[in-house]
Amino acid sequence: MIALPLLPLLALAAAYVPPASVLAWVDVREHRLPNRWVATLTVLVAVVLALIALLQPALRPTMRSAAVLAVVIGMGAVLVALLAPSVLGMGDAKTVPVVVATSAALGGEVLLASLLGIAVLGGVVGVVVLMISRRPGQRFAFGPVLLAGPLLGVLGGPLVARALGTG
């Protein structure tokens, strides 16, 4: 995990957590991620990452990498949502870039731990939902799991760093 100075880290958390919390709550209640909230979250995070890059020149390569990864992985998510909508909803696909950008801005280990955490937690939640509902094909709100990605990444980042021999 890169060591973001405290103020940029707090700014990133302040930009991400409130709208992500609203999105998670709405997705649980309505099974949708409203475009207005996804756009708000994305713009806030993009502005904070741009400001971090502007004010901390040493972090520019990391912020640039976070932006590129967000676009590339986000395009892949939208493609999956278009080709297999039963696998990934379009709201989730549109949310992927901001989750990736936020996680990647905190470092490669955080991004890897975030993606692994989303996969594992998504699988566990899916199994629990299927066991409780006992109906095949039962869907669950994946948005909260997806939006938890950066937090899962921060928690699992040190484990990934140790596994990779970098921490």
Side-chain angles (χ1 to χ4, degrees):
M1 182 165 121
I2 66 165
L4 272 184
L6 183 60
L7 189 57
L9 182 61
L10 291 175
L12 185 58
Y16 186 85
V17 172
S21 299
V22 170
L23 277 165
W25 182 74
V26 169
D27 197 26
V28 166
R29 291 180 52 103
E30 301 175 15
H31 285 265
R32 66 184 197 91
L33 294 166
N35 288 338
R36 176 174 284 161
W37 279 100
V38 173
T40 299
L41 175 61
T42 302
V43 168
L44 286 172
V45 168
V47 166
V48 168
L49 295 182
L51 286 172
I52 291 171
L54 181 67
L55 298 172
Q56 299 282 331
L59 297 175
R60 286 180 186 157
T62 302
M63 299 306 117
R64 188 177 310 116
S65 295
V68 169
L69 284 169
V71 170
V72 171
I73 294 173
M75 287 172 37
V78 169
L79 187 62
V80 169
L82 289 171
L83 297 176
S86 63
V87 172
L88 185 68
M90 188 56 75
D92 297 320
K94 290 184 283 186
T95 306
V96 165
V98 71
V99 172
V100 169
T102 303
S103 300
L106 298 172
E109 294 89 356
V110 172
L111 176 61
L112 286 173
S114 173
L115 297 174
L116 288 169
I118 290 167
V120 170
L121 185 59
V124 168
V125 170
V127 167
V128 169
V129 167
L130 284 174
M131 288 174 63
I132 291 171
S133 73
R134 298 179 191 255
R135 291 190 324 239
Q138 174 69 32
R139 296 185 61 123
F140 70 96
F142 187 66
V145 173
L146 179 63
L147 290 159
L151 175 61
L152 297 170
V154 167
L155 294 174
L159 297 172
V160 169
R162 273 192 299 236
L164 295 173
T166 60

